[in-house]
Amino acid sequence: MEKKKSILARAVRKFLKEPRTARLTTIGTEGYPHIVPICFSLDGDDIIFGSDDDERKVRNARANPKGAVVIGGEPEQDDAGYMIQGDLVVEADEENSDDEYGDGPKGVIRLKPKKVIRVW
């Protein structure tokens, strides 16, 4: 069985392991980009974002599962920055469904990368 090649190069994966704020873009119902700063983590090649289940970014991802994230690219602090485009999948976050930071159900947006573009 052939091992699947990672879309995230070693340098990109190392870059993404550093604490940074991402800018997640989803597409709203009127066709305009909706961009929000958000924390993230990695799960294999997938980039994971937590959210309350009723937030705009979650509703957008369900309606149009295409999105992108920009991470880094701040000339004062970064040597690089990356835009990662891909498909979005919304999942329930059972682990954090009853935490102290919100009243409603929690969700996870999973970005499955299709293309990585260096932006800085």
Side-chain angles (χ1 to χ4, degrees):
M1 179 180 226
E2 191 174 318
K3 186 177 178 183
K4 182 182 172 188
K5 184 179 177 188
S6 173
I7 193 162
L8 299 180
R10 188 178 331 178
V12 175
R13 186 175 295 283
K14 181 179 177 185
F15 180 85
L16 295 176
K17 288 186 179 179
E18 296 294 322
R20 302 178 189 283
T21 300
R23 289 164 190 85
L24 175 65
T25 303
T26 58
I27 305 300
T29 56
E30 294 181 2
Y32 293 104
H34 177 80
I35 304 167
V36 294
I38 191 168
C39 295
F40 69 95
S41 62
L42 284 178
D43 181 18
D45 270 1
D46 294 352
I47 302 172
I48 307 295
F49 312 94
S51 180
D52 288 340
D53 195 51
D54 64 345
E55 290 195 10
R56 171 63 56 197
K57 60 188 167 284
V58 174
R59 294 193 311 266
N60 288 348
R62 283 190 174 113
N64 183 347
K66 302 289 184 202
V69 64
V70 172
I71 302 169
E74 302 292 336
E76 307 83 38
Q77 80 181 54
D78 294 322
D79 293 330
Y82 298 94
M83 176 172 52
I84 303 168
Q85 301 170 331
D87 296 323
L88 302 172
V89 177
V90 178
E91 304 169 347
D93 184 0
E94 305 296 333
E95 187 176 309
N96 296 306
S97 62
D98 292 321
D99 73 4
E100 63 196 80
Y101 300 110
D103 298 326
K106 305 298 177 211
V108 171
I109 300 173
R110 181 179 293 270
L111 176 70
K112 296 184 162 295
K114 298 290 184 189
K115 187 173 186 178
V116 178
I117 301 163
R118 186 179 167 120
V119 294
W120 174 254

